Amino acid sequence: MKVAVLTGGGDCPGLNAVIRAIVRRASIHGFEVMGLREGWRGLLEDSHFRLTRETTSGILHRGGTILGTSRVNPFKVENGLEKVMHTVERNQIAGIIAIGGEGTLSAASQLHQKGLKVVGIPKTIDNDLNGTDFTFGFDTAVGIATEAIDRLHSTAESHKRVIVVEVMGRHVGWIATYSGIAGGADVILVPEIPVELDKVAEHIHRRHSTGRSFSIVVVAEGTRIKTADNESEHLVTSGQTDEAGRPRLGGVGAYVAQEIERRTGYETRVSVLGHIQRGGIPTAWDRVLATRFGVHGCDMVSRGEWGRMAALRGNEIVSVELATATASLKRVSQEFFEVAQVFFG
Ligand code: F6P
């Protein structure tokens, strides 16, 4: 039986750990594993190579993905569905394991409805996939952001500055909230709650008037800013779009920094962590989660659990409907955010 594996969407630490686990488990089931190049593009263009124990050895700790990735969506390509099905038939692929985030797994769910035998494995540093308590990649990204906040604390204190740290998080503020709590940030701004800059400035002003000489503000890149009349809100984008046609984010940190300085008069700087959060070696926790997902995903294939996704519930790996997991995003709850708010009012 031949199983094909792909990694789609933004990369994250732990992808190679999943690929390695799938190949190891597959050898126990007696499956042959084919690696599809660059996400769905590999199926559209019939581009793949054989994955073996030898070719996947020594990759557990490596960041990125040996398969390459893209945000290509078969439903946005002319005759995409036919091309996908043709590759599957021509190569006698019995099933596909799609490792991806919201975009890749939504396409997987739609393809399943059209007859593709597919199992999903959730990945993303953003941790915004529903149906799973955590995605791998998130813990590594939080660790990187927390270390950055720790480092920025000392320089902010020396210079009596406000430092705004922009972290990733397109639709949700999990990285901002976790790293902000772990790093002791003074303000955390997330996409779930549109920001009133006057209130942020007031808070920083109050803090500094009670003897503090510096502040750290963590802002997720997808945070929307309320207009002066509070009637509407806007997203700060780079003005460009990505491969999937979505606005490329980035810039909200600089905007918030400029507005804080203008409103408070305190010297303010910005640090944008960007893709540093996605690169490099995965934490031990992400490696373990990725490995468990890989083994479980392969077992789901052997049981024919098509149209489902491996997921973490508590400390158990379970499987959930792909359609349910991709129907909406997992946002930071008010209850969770209130823990962070205890420290910045
Ligand atoms: O999807 C994860 C993510 O890290 C988002 O937070 C971010 O908006 C996006 O990837 C940026 O990805 P890229 O620059 O690779 O298009």
Side-chain angles (χ1 to χ4, degrees):
M1 173 157 149
K2 202 187 280 175
V3 180
V5 184
L6 65 87
T7 51
D11 72 343
C12 76
L15 288 169
N16 285 324
V18 186
I19 296 165
R20 168 181 172 269
I22 291 170
V23 172
R24 285 297 182 92
R25 190 59 164 176
S27 73
I28 292 168
H29 286 299
F31 301 159
E32 186 182 315
V33 188
M34 207 169 108
L36 295 162
R37 289 195 181 89
E38 298 174 18
W40 296 115
R41 183 178 286 141
L43 272 181
L44 290 164
E45 297 179 3
D46 201 1
S47 176
H48 43 81
F49 57 100
R50 181 124 187 247
L51 292 173
T52 62
R53 276 180 77 133
E54 290 68 39
T55 55
T56 55
S57 141
I59 64 168
L60 168 65
H61 62 287
R62 277 172 51 192
T65 161
I66 60 164
L67 300 178
T69 187
S70 71
R71 288 203 165 89
V72 169
N73 182 336
F75 292 100
K76 292 195 178 147
V77 172
E78 208 184 333
N79 301 323
L81 179 61
E82 290 74 20
K83 287 178 181 164
V84 164
M85 294 306 192
H86 194 57
T87 302
V88 169
E89 271 168 38
R90 187 165 42 224
N91 295 283
Q92 296 176 310
I93 298 171
I96 289 162
I97 301 181
I99 311 165
E102 170 223 347
T104 305
L105 296 184
S106 295
S109 178
Q110 283 173 270
L111 285 165
H112 170 66
Q113 282 155 24
K114 302 281 181 200
L116 191 76
K117 290 180 172 167
V118 60
V119 155
I121 292 185
K123 69 87 220 178
T124 160
I125 63 163
D126 289 358
N127 196 36
D128 58 0
L129 264 168
N130 247 324
T132 184
D133 291 351
F134 287 100
T135 51
F136 64 87
F138 173 65
D139 186 61
T140 307
V142 168
I144 293 165
T146 304
E147 190 193 334
I149 295 168
D150 287 347
R151 289 176 185 276
L152 292 169
H153 256 105
S154 60
T155 173
E157 191 168 9
S158 306
H159 288 268
K160 298 191 169 141
R161 284 173 175 159
V162 176
I163 297 193
V164 178
V165 192
E166 181 182 308
V167 299
M168 279 189 170
R170 169 169 286 274
H171 304 290
V172 303
W174 287 109
I175 298 176
T177 309
Y178 263 71
S179 64
I181 292 174
D186 305 301
V187 179
I188 301 173
L189 306 175
V190 294
E192 287 84 346
I193 307 170
V195 174
E196 287 178 53
L197 285 167
D198 281 340
K199 285 201 173 153
V200 174
E202 259 168 49
H203 172 69
I204 291 174
H205 206 69
R206 213 169 33 243
R207 205 180 117 76
H208 288 224
S209 62
T210 56
R212 305 311 200 313
S213 59
F214 71 96
S215 291
I216 300 288
V217 177
V218 178
V219 58
E221 61 179 357
T223 302
R224 284 159 296 138
I225 310 291
K226 280 199 177 179
T227 49
D229 56 9
N230 277 346
E231 289 293 310
S232 58
E233 38 200 62
H234 72 277
L235 199 61
V236 182
T237 71
S238 65
Q240 291 156 318
T241 50
D242 69 11
E243 210 177 1
R246 309 176 308 177
R248 265 178 60 192
L249 301 180
V252 71
Y255 183 80
V256 168
Q258 167 201 303
E259 291 302 309
I260 288 174
E261 189 168 272
R262 192 169 69 78
R263 286 167 159 87
T264 64
Y266 304 136
E267 193 181 9
T268 306
R269 294 283 194 271
V270 61
S271 240
V272 181
L273 301 189
H275 295 81
I276 287 172
Q277 294 158 99
R278 286 218 318 239
I281 61 169
T283 58
W285 199 86
D286 276 339
R287 293 181 207 188
V288 173
L289 181 60
T291 300
R292 292 178 79 196
F293 277 160
V295 169
H296 198 88
C298 202
D299 290 349
M300 286 165 67
V301 167
S302 76
R303 293 193 292 265
E305 288 185 36
W306 310 118
R308 297 185 70 81
M309 179 186 92
L312 182 71
R313 287 277 170 83
N315 199 24
E316 299 296 314
I317 307 289
V318 297
S319 90
V320 297
E321 288 275 346
L322 262 175
T324 317
T326 54
S328 61
L329 290 170
K330 185 180 68 198
R331 300 182 195 280
V332 178
S333 66
Q334 182 57 32
E335 188 195 3
F336 195 95
F337 199 68
E338 275 168 16
V339 172
Q341 279 174 323
V342 167
F343 302 90
F344 58 85

